[in-house]
Amino acid sequence: MKATAWMGTDSVKVINVPDPTIMNARDAIVRITSTAICGSDLHLYHGYIPDMRKGDILGHEFMGEVVEVGPQVRNLKPGDRVVVPFPIACGRCNSCQRGLYSVCENSNPNAGIAEKIMGHSPAGIFGYSHLLGGYAGGQAEYARVPFADVGPIKVPDDVPDDQAVMLADVFPTAFMGAEMCDIKPGDVIAVWGAGPVGLLAAASARMLGAERVIVIDRYPYRLRLAREHAGAETINYEDSDVLDTLNAMTAGRGPDACIDAVGLEGHHGNAAMYAYDRAKQAVRLETERPFALRQAILACRSGGVVSVIGAYGGFVDKFPMGAFMNRSLIMRTGQCHVQRYTRPLLDRIQRGDIDPSFIISHRLPLKDAPKGYKIFQKKQDDCTKVVLKV
Amino acid sequence: MDEADEVLLPELDGPEPKPLLPRALGWLSLALGVGALAAPGRLAQLTGVDDSPLAPTVIPAVGARELVHAAGLIRGRRPAGWAWTRVAGDAMDLTLLGRAWGDRCGERRRRVALTTAVVGGIAVADLLAAVGAARSRRARERVIRMEIGVTVNRTPADAYRFWRDVENLPRFMSHLESVRAEDLRRSHWIARGPASRRIEWDAEIVDDRPNRSIAWRSLPGTRVPNAGRVRFVPAPGDRGTEVRVQLRYAPPAGALGRVVAKLFGEEPEQQVRDDLRRFKQVLETGEVVRSEGSPDGISVRQQVIQRPAQPLPPARR
Ligand SMILES: NC(=O)c1ccc[n+]([C@@H]2O[C@H](COP(=O)([O-])OP(=O)(O)OC[C@H]3O[C@@H](n4cnc5c(N)ncnc54)[C@H](O)[C@@H]3O)[C@@H](O)[C@H]2O)c1
Ligand SMILES: [Zn+2]
Ligand SMILES: [Zn+2]
């Protein structure tokens, strides 16, 4: 089959690999119809997530048709149309049973290494480094889906691929980011990053009853989507000082909760600050550029929530712990526990509460995956989200 | 955490064996020493060096040395050390004899040659004794012990039942090829070494408390004495079972030792931790979880030697 492989920093190729087969009794093989490129894939593309190997198949946002199931999979059969959550979760461990699927205790066969770096191991993730399992991803014609009796859900015919594939990651992630803000009537929510995750987080915050949502980014086309589709106000951080503007907008209180939907590759309007963290990251003195996170902490109202859904991989420098501690802030974070949200969010889509496909800017054939990575990386051609059609 | 007694291993926990060979050699030293001191002239004649002007001084000196060896070897403390001093003494004697042989002819030369052969034989025995004593001491020093736990989301009864059927052990202990239960207590274990070398041993269950703990040990005579105990403790907060494993083994030295070391990897604790993770996977999910990068599931070696995250070629399935 054809598959999108990581060939080194800033390099992906569509290559021929063997077709996947059942390796565990609870596996299913899915013939992929739609698969998306994520901001998380850009972290891999740029080489910031440790332990990638040349030839690794990328992709953790995919859906398609079941073509084969292992002997222990009873809920699915060949022909079913399914969307697959990106964290691989067994459904039987303590974490899974408490709904913490992205920290499943069994799905990372390389837990020993992850433990050395992170203390304890998170779940395995499709196409997301050997540190997180060494699983082949889904930017391909077929994928093997472990624990198919727990993760994938069937998609009704009236929900098109473009909507359903958003349930693999970005919509649940964004929704969880908003949910972690514990939104109460009158709350003002600020969101850093107007990528797919930030845009859907803003929309979710609205759905969950936020009074006002403010989205911060520097790309006018993305900020326009935030205004038009998420009912948000926007700040372009290249035009105005973010902290001052947020204080002005909230009469000095600061947002009640702040969502970091940027992650470890933040960009900074101030050239000197940007150069400082960029240089430290290049020589691995620091693995992240946490501009949005620092700013979110400083901006947040005292006693408020900082909800971190942007991805981090290692160590953060100059973390404003003083502000965090003295102002009684709360941080909530995590890779999304997608399995918890797929059904309720599918319901919301079917009810017409939201159409998450508004973020899709490009639909390309699988063979054009390298081009998709390039335009998404460079934010060319008003690119927000690339969905590969197989 | 509550303490549990170590399972005793006769090879490691009994009194340190006093090997027969060093003691026998001790008595030989005593006889030689007394002879050399009491009748140096007679000994010189017997060994064919009675014509040497040095013989009357060298022979009593050798005798005195032998008495010191005898005292050390017969007392039996640190037999290895004393055995090595005997080896050194033999080397000295052989050098002297070699020189004596070169200088002589006829009957004397024949006697020197005979003496050399006898001392040579004793030297070999001394060497064997020294090596053997050192090996037994090092085995005791090398004992590896560890205590590692994992929390499994199943009842103590489930976890106990799975472990108690010892034939299940290779399903999660990655270095085992098979375990065959011979009866309710005894079993035969085969471990898979590198380069398809196998290590086999017999073990017995020495303490069995249903749903609470199991203790086992290898039977005497195995080359890798080992023992273990696993306890199944209800985890607080209704989170299943804390499976706590204590292990102890004494890897041998030499080539076999290197095989054992490879078997357990560079980090024996990591290996056991991974085995317990596999145990947890099998109990909670039904089998060992595999990925394309780690197609054989969790293991230290596999985590380092990853293949790319791509489906396996048909040959490797
Ligand atoms: N927690 C999870 O489960 C999860 C799931 C999916 C994605 N993620 C992470 O979410 C993040 C966003 O993903 P995406 O697909 O939207 O990526 P994206 O790259 O499209 O979006 C990131 C946006 O952040 C903006 N940005 C950069 N620096 C900024 C700053 N200092 N202030 C404000 N905005 C800034 C960029 O201009 C860009 O528009 C990534 O880190 C991704 O890894 C996390
Ligand atoms: Zn994603
Ligand atoms: Zn789990």
Side-chain angles (χ1 to χ4, degrees), chain A residues 9-10 42-49 218 263-292 294 315-318 377-378:
Chain A
T9 301
D10 282 344
L42 289 182
H43 304 323
L44 301 173
Y45 191 56
H46 296 150
Y48 287 124
I49 302 290
R218 71 180 163 130
L264 66 89
E265 291 189 74
H267 168 268
H268 200 284
N270 178 319
M273 274 303 277
Y274 182 72
Y276 167 85
D277 284 279
R278 187 76 187 78
K280 287 194 105 173
Q281 193 176 36
V283 296
R284 297 294 189 271
L285 273 177
E286 172 180 45
T287 53
E288 339 283 64
R289 302 195 304 262
F291 304 117
R294 286 184 197 136
F315 300 90
V316 153
D317 207 10
K318 291 205 161 31
Q377 172 197 32
K378 305 252 189 259

Side-chain angles (χ1 to χ4, degrees), chain B residues 154-164 209-212 214 232-234 240-241 279 283:
Chain B
R154 296 288 292 265
T155 63
D158 287 345
Y160 165 86
R161 205 175 309 122
F162 188 83
W163 199 299
R164 181 62 183 80
R209 301 179 202 180
N211 305 340
R212 288 179 50 210
I214 305 167
F232 308 95
V233 187
T241 305
F279 176 74
L283 255 95

Side-chain angles (χ1 to χ4, degrees), chain A residues 38 40 60-61 169-170:
Chain A
C38 177
S40 303
H60 58 267
E61 302 183 3
D169 176 350
V170 284

Side-chain angles (χ1 to χ4, degrees), chain A residues 143-374:
Chain A
R144 177 182 72 101
V145 177
F147 304 122
D149 53 339
V150 173
I153 60 160
K154 288 187 221 171
V155 180
D157 290 342
D158 61 328
V159 178
D161 268 29
D162 281 358
Q163 290 183 343
V165 76
M166 298 296 128
L167 292 170
D169 176 350
V170 284
F171 186 22
T173 296
F175 189 86
M176 184 171 106
E179 197 184 62
M180 291 190 296
C181 294
D182 202 5
I183 297 171
K184 295 185 183 61
D187 275 1
V188 179
I189 309 298
V191 181
W192 275 254
V197 174
L199 289 169
L200 286 168
S204 299
R206 279 316 273 245
M207 272 196 313
L208 291 175
E211 179 82 22
R212 291 168 74 188
V213 176
I214 303 163
V215 174
I216 302 137
D217 203 308
R218 71 180 163 130
Y219 293 105
Y221 74 93
R222 291 186 167 205
L223 292 173
R224 191 178 62 244
L225 286 174
R227 289 191 298 272
E228 288 172 5
H229 292 273
E233 299 157 73
T234 59
I235 301 174
N236 187 326
Y237 65 83
E238 288 193 319
D239 298 342
S240 32
D241 182 277
V242 175
L243 293 182
D244 284 352
T245 313
L246 285 172
N247 279 333
M249 292 170 91
T250 57
R253 299 189 306 275
D256 297 288
C258 295
I259 300 176
D260 169 1
V262 175
L264 66 89
E265 291 189 74
H267 168 268
H268 200 284
N270 178 319
M273 274 303 277
Y274 182 72
Y276 167 85
D277 284 279
R278 187 76 187 78
K280 287 194 105 173
Q281 193 176 36
V283 296
R284 297 294 189 271
L285 273 177
E286 172 180 45
T287 53
E288 339 283 64
R289 302 195 304 262
F291 304 117
L293 180 59
R294 286 184 197 136
Q295 210 170 48
I297 290 171
L298 295 179
C300 194
R301 135 165 92 75
S302 292
V305 176
V306 178
S307 164
V308 184
I309 44 173
Y312 291 85
F315 300 90
V316 153
D317 207 10
K318 291 205 161 31
F319 183 83
M321 193 60 204
F324 195 81
M325 185 271 161
N326 286 284
R327 298 205 297 105
S328 296
L329 296 179
I330 298 160
M331 186 184 288
R332 300 224 177 92
T333 185
Q335 294 283 359
C336 182
H337 308 295
V338 178
Q339 284 83 340
R340 209 157 78 184
Y341 299 98
T342 39
R343 269 170 224 288
L345 294 185
L346 177 65
D347 287 349
R348 282 183 188 265
I349 292 173
Q350 280 193 290
R351 281 206 305 265
D353 292 358
I354 184 171
D355 174 4
S357 65
F358 75 84
I359 58 169
I360 301 174
S361 57
H362 291 75
R363 294 167 186 83
L364 302 174
L366 178 65
K367 70 171 173 41
D368 286 346
K371 180 182 164 207
Y373 272 84
K374 188 102 292 166

